[in-house]
Amino acid sequence: MEKENIVELKNISVAFDGEQVLDQLNLGIKDKEFITLLGPSGCGKTTTLRLIAGFLEPDCGDVVFEGKKINGVPAYKRQVNTIFQRYALFPHLNVYENVAFGLRVKKLPENEIKQKVTEMLSLVNLSGFEKRNIATLSGGQQQRVAIARAIANHPKVLLLDEPLAALDLKLRKDMQKELKKIQQQLGITFIFVTHDQEEALTMSDRVVVMDKGKIQQVGTPQDIYNEPKNAFVADFIGESNIVDGKMLKDYRVEFSGQEFRCLDRGFSQNEQVDVVVRPEDVDIVEYDKGMLKGKVTSVAFLGVHYEIIVDIGGFKWMIQTTDEHFVNDRVGLYIEPDAIHIMKKSEYSGLYGDYSSYSEEIDHLSDVEEE
Amino acid sequence: MNKKTFGNKLVASPYIVWSAIFIVVPLIIMLYFALTDSSGNFTLANLSGLGEYKKAFAISILYAAIATVITLLLAYPMAYFMSKLKISSQRMIFMIVMIPMWMNFLIRTYSWITILANTGLINTFLKNIGLRPLKLINTPGAVILGMVYDFIPYMILPIYSVMSKIDNSLLEASEDLGSNGFNKFKRVIFPLSRPGVISGITMVFVPSVSTFYISQKLGGNKTMLIGDTIEYFFNLGPDYYNIASAISLVLMVMILICLFIMNRFSDGEEGGVLM
Ligand SMILES: Nc1ncnc2c1ncn2[C@@H]1O[C@H](COP(=O)(O)OP(=O)(O)OP(=O)(O)O)[C@@H](O)[C@H]1O
Ligand SMILES: [Mg+2]
């Protein structure tokens, strides 16, 4: 297992001005995989990339590349290239020369450079832009130049720091597909940083969810979504109702004053747990037939589905359904055993997963901001 | 900036009036004197007789060029290291560079006399430790030193200003793409600092080539620079205004040609501001 890891971070800690930014980080990155670091602003994603690129040395811990410790190896000697968040294209060079930069540093012969640059520009759909001044390019085009410039050097690992954050939604979707295509075509390991969970889920082979300088969970997008390890991950990835519960015994959990069947086992008897139920996994049924009973407090139509908030004994649940309901309807909720996911209590318990303070407007605004 | 609105024109109008009075009118007066004789008749004799001052022109250009090169060699590393310091230290050094500029040129030049004179600071020191005094004042070296000292802030500041604006991520990008320190300098730092270098060169060369007090105070009366020649004729009285204006005109045309050539080097890159 160890062997196929191209990059390994072992027990890495980094502090700036006494503030712990990365805390005992351990991560193995497999050769040729598309791995995404996902987490809120300030959680240490960029710092992690800078460690791998060689712009920063850890306070303690090792950075390992192809089995060799590379602490102290300067950035220009590492077989890693970076796509910077704001592209960092050279303003004094045209498109051709930007892409040729790394090749010229390596002193390749002119005809080889020309061939390589032409190939790269066609790979990112920028043939014919060779002579253009980079200031005259659109954001999306600059992004492509940055990609071409980085991969022209045949890095073994490409680091991408929120490369799509500055693009508009449509362009971003297109670039997501293109990046994925390029990654598969060239067979390069991509370490991708984003704070957009949807982007992380659609693009990655594995997702690393980070918060406060610690890795909260590593797994495939499906794992992360279906089996979140704690309340932070459950809340950060998609929408979740997270309620306090008690494991009565294997496959039996109690929450909201009711007993439910579930698929989880291996907890001690009567252990306090966090229970996650995704909004799309809850069915609204007639009041009398519900496992839980409550009153609708808000309804929002989102096109594909309705987002309904139901008050159950003071805890507000979010439910996504295609059926229409009305405010003040008395409804029952039905939850299948496989819709219930049990998590151990963590420092994040009780912080997330209640929609009491939920307001569509605020959610809507923050969505726009993220676009 | 292509389409100027009425508002823009209004805002610019005091500046236009100001430039008309203090720049255009003196130029016209100079042109008038250069192209007329002492009784006001049109003539080209002033200009055609300037061959006599070839040597003064040549020495002025040579001294100014040497001073500019020395200034650049000193100022460039200085500006580079300044831009690498902590922001607070940058501010402090910036102030230290600026302070002498608040003092009158003449006074600053005078201070060198007390240092370089035959009985000045250096020679007194040499004598005290038993060495022979050196001939420092009234030499070409002293004149060039004066130029370097007086004008070096004009070289440091524009270079520092472009250097401090170079985005650190560009340096990281170049390192990321395989550049060691030398390549980083050659391929990124130097090309990006060129507009500052060009405006620094212009801002040092132009006042150096036309100076007269530095050569008078530090060069004795041995080296007649072109500025001294102009001053000399103006001091002789109104009869010599025509010849003085003609020399000024030629000097100005030469400077304009230099500026033009320098600007070609900067390829219209922004930042190549000339004052
Ligand atoms: N050079 C530095 N000096 C001091 N503090 C720093 C430095 N670089 C990063 N930090 C701090 O480290 C923390 C993590 O920063 P980092 O840039 O890794 O976050 P991030 O996860 O990339 O966030 P974002 O999504 O906003 O880019 C932040 O609190 C930041 O202020
Ligand atoms: Mg970041």
Side-chain angles (χ1 to χ4, degrees), chain A residues 45-46 85 161-162 193:
Chain A
K45 305 180 297 287
T46 299
Q85 184 158 355
D161 193 357
E162 308 206 26
V193 161

Side-chain angles (χ1 to χ4, degrees), chain B residues 56-133:
Chain B
F57 273 111
I59 290 182
S60 296
I61 290 173
L62 180 71
Y63 282 17
I66 293 172
T68 306
V69 169
I70 294 173
T71 311
L72 178 62
L73 292 179
L74 293 173
Y76 195 91
M78 165 93 184
Y80 177 76
F81 289 115
M82 242 170 102
S83 73
K84 290 285 155 210
L85 293 173
K86 281 196 315 233
I87 295 290
S88 55
S89 324
Q90 282 189 28
R91 287 219 189 91
M92 203 184 71
I93 300 202
F94 190 87
M95 285 307 290
I96 293 174
V97 173
M98 284 291 291
I99 287 169
M101 289 173 67
W102 297 340
M103 248 180 296
N104 188 294
F105 274 119
L106 215 53
I107 295 171
R108 287 200 273 147
T109 312
Y110 265 112
S111 68
W112 276 104
I113 299 180
T114 60
I115 297 171
L116 301 178
N118 293 338
T119 53
L121 276 179
I122 294 178
N123 280 326
T124 313
F125 174 73
L126 290 178
K127 209 162 78 189
N128 287 347
I129 61 170
L131 294 174
R132 276 187 350 167

Side-chain angles (χ1 to χ4, degrees), chain A residues 16-17 19 21 39-48 85 162 195:
Chain A
F16 290 119
D17 317 318
E19 182 205 354
V21 172
S41 189
C43 72
K45 305 180 297 287
T46 299
T47 307
T48 309
Q85 184 158 355
E162 308 206 26
H195 57 250

